[in-house]
Each structure stands twice: as structure tokens, then as C-alpha cells.
């Protein structure tokens, strides 16, 4: 993509279906930050102020369930091609019990034109993470202890993500993870 094309893209308005989808959101403050054109079935992968959403070529109805909020994204890996497109590999985190999240199956989005989408997604996901620390568990493996900013909540939220889902059912591993998390939370509390 030439410099002129990049400048045009930066100041271009989002496609009409993207604007309609975001205007139909229940969040009146939601706005489009960047978008990329999807290869399969057309449509767009759109970064908004709320999260990441897929907008089909023709918008018939939009629900908030279609938005993957920024703090729910465990990872978003971008694999670029030489033609301005590429592939996003997005892993969603789901709460499986209070304070414990599990990685969901990877979702792939193939884009013919990514524009500024990779940089915006990276920045938005990174902005939710306040702190993270990887800790080993007895018997191998480990946990990721993550503090994230969540819109509408006054304090950051700490969660545990096990490297291996099987370790979540191991009582010893669970106890060690709980202790490590409690120690981190206690360390940041004022005396």
C-alpha cells in the first residue's frame, strides 16, 4: 500500500454497514477506530471503542453479544502478508469461576486489507493489561496472573489463567495459584 493510499485510508469514513452496525449499538459512545476487509463471506473486522466485532456485508440486526470486549481478549496475533492483508488469530478469555479465566478456541479472521487494524487492536488489548506475572506450578506448567482495567469498574481486576486447563482441576495447583494471586493482591493494598 502506497503512502498516498495509507493517508486516504486513515481519513476515510468506514463503510456504510460498519457505521450502521456501530450506530445500532446500545452504547451511544461507541465509535469506529479501524477496520479491515474480511476475505471469507465479505464484511469487516472492526475495532471500536468497546471491542472487536465482525460486521457482515449487510447489517440486519446488531446485538451487544457480537462485540468481543478488549479485556476479554487473551491474545491477538497478527500475521501479515505482503499485499496489505493477513490473518488475525484471536484467543478469547472466558471466566470459568470467579477470578479464573480459561482460553477459548482460537478464532481466525483472514483479511484482504487490514489498514490500521493490527496496530489499533494491539494498542487496545495492551491498554487493558495493568500488570501480568507468570508463575510456575508444582509438577510443571504455570499460571498467568493478570490485572486488567475493565470499563465501568473503579478498580483493576486480577485473574488467573492456567497454562493447561487440566491443572485447574488439580487441588494442589489451584491452591498454589490462589496463594500467588492473594499475595499479589495483598502487596498492592495500602497499609
Amino acid at each position: 500500500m502506497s503512502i498516498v493510499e495509507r493517508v486516504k485510508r486513515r481519513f476515510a469514513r468506514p463503510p456504510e454497514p460498519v457505521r450502521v452496525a456501530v450506530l445500532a449499538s446500545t452504547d451511544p459512545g461507541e465509535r469506529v477506530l479501524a477496520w479491515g476487509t474480511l476475505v471469507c463471506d465479505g464484511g469487516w473486522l472492526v475495532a471500536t471503542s468497546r471491542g472487536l466485532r465482525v460486521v457482515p456485508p449487510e447489517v440486519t440486526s446488531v446485538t451487544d453479544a457480537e462485540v468481543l470486549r478488549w479485556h476479554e481478549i487473551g491474545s491477538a496475533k497478527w500475521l501479515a502478508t505482503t499485499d496489505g492483508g493477513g490473518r488475525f488469530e484471536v484467543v478469547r478469555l472466558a471466566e470459568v469461576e470467579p477470578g479464573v479465566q480459561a482460553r477459548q478456541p482460537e478464532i481466525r479472521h483472514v483479511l484482504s486489507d487490514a489498514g490500521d487494524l493490527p496496530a489499533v487492536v494491539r494498542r487496545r488489548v495492551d491498554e487493558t493489561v495493568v500488570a501480568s506475572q507468570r508463575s510456575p506450578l508444582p509438577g510443571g506448567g504455570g499460571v498467568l496472573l493478570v490485572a486488567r482495567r475493565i470499563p465501568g469498574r473503579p478498580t483493576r481486576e486480577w485473574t488467573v489463567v492456567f497454562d493447561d486447563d487440566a491443572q485447574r482441576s488439580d487441588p494442589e495447583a489451584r491452591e498454589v495459584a490462589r496463594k500467588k494471586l492473594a499475595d499479589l493482591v495483598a502487596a498492592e493494598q495500602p497499609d
Side-chain angles (χ1 to χ4, degrees):
M1 184 182 290
S2 75
I3 292 174
V4 173
E5 290 171 327
R6 286 179 194 216
V7 170
K8 281 183 183 179
R9 168 74 181 229
R10 186 159 194 87
F11 295 104
R13 288 176 48 139
E16 184 67 23
V18 171
R19 290 195 309 271
V20 168
V22 173
L23 285 173
S25 169
T26 57
D27 179 354
E30 185 174 14
R31 65 189 192 291
V32 175
L33 304 174
W35 66 92
T37 307
L38 291 167
V39 172
C40 292
D41 302 325
W44 299 268
L45 184 62
V46 182
T48 74
S49 51
R50 290 186 68 212
L52 198 58
R53 65 165 72 219
V54 174
V55 175
E58 294 182 27
V59 177
T60 55
S61 68
V62 178
T63 64
D64 285 330
E66 295 172 333
V67 177
L68 178 56
R69 306 286 303 255
W70 295 118
H71 64 274
E72 296 171 336
I73 297 175
S75 65
K77 183 177 178 181
W78 173 246
L79 303 163
T81 56
T82 57
D83 62 358
R87 181 177 75 220
F88 259 119
E89 296 174 350
V90 179
V91 176
R92 179 181 178 270
L93 295 174
E95 188 171 64
V96 292
E97 61 185 84
V100 179
Q101 294 179 314
R103 292 175 185 90
Q104 300 301 297
E106 180 180 271
I107 302 166
R108 291 186 178 161
H109 301 283
V110 179
L111 304 171
S112 60
D113 175 20
D116 294 334
L117 190 62
V120 170
V121 170
R122 170 75 183 226
R123 186 179 73 246
R124 284 293 173 143
V125 172
D126 286 351
E127 286 173 353
T128 69
V129 178
V130 177
S132 72
Q133 178 180 328
R134 181 162 299 286
S135 289
L137 290 174
V143 292
L144 183 63
L145 307 166
V146 182
R148 290 184 181 263
R149 285 183 195 92
I150 299 177
R153 296 191 187 160
T155 60
R156 57 187 169 180
E157 182 175 301
W158 281 94
T159 59
V160 174
V161 181
F162 286 85
D163 289 348
D164 180 0
D165 285 339
Q167 290 175 313
R168 278 199 328 260
S169 59
D170 176 5
E172 184 181 5
R174 289 172 63 85
E175 187 56 36
V176 169
R178 279 193 185 124
K179 172 106 174 71
K180 289 176 185 273
L181 183 61
D183 290 347
L184 276 174
V185 172
E188 70 176 27
Q189 300 297 323
D191 289 334

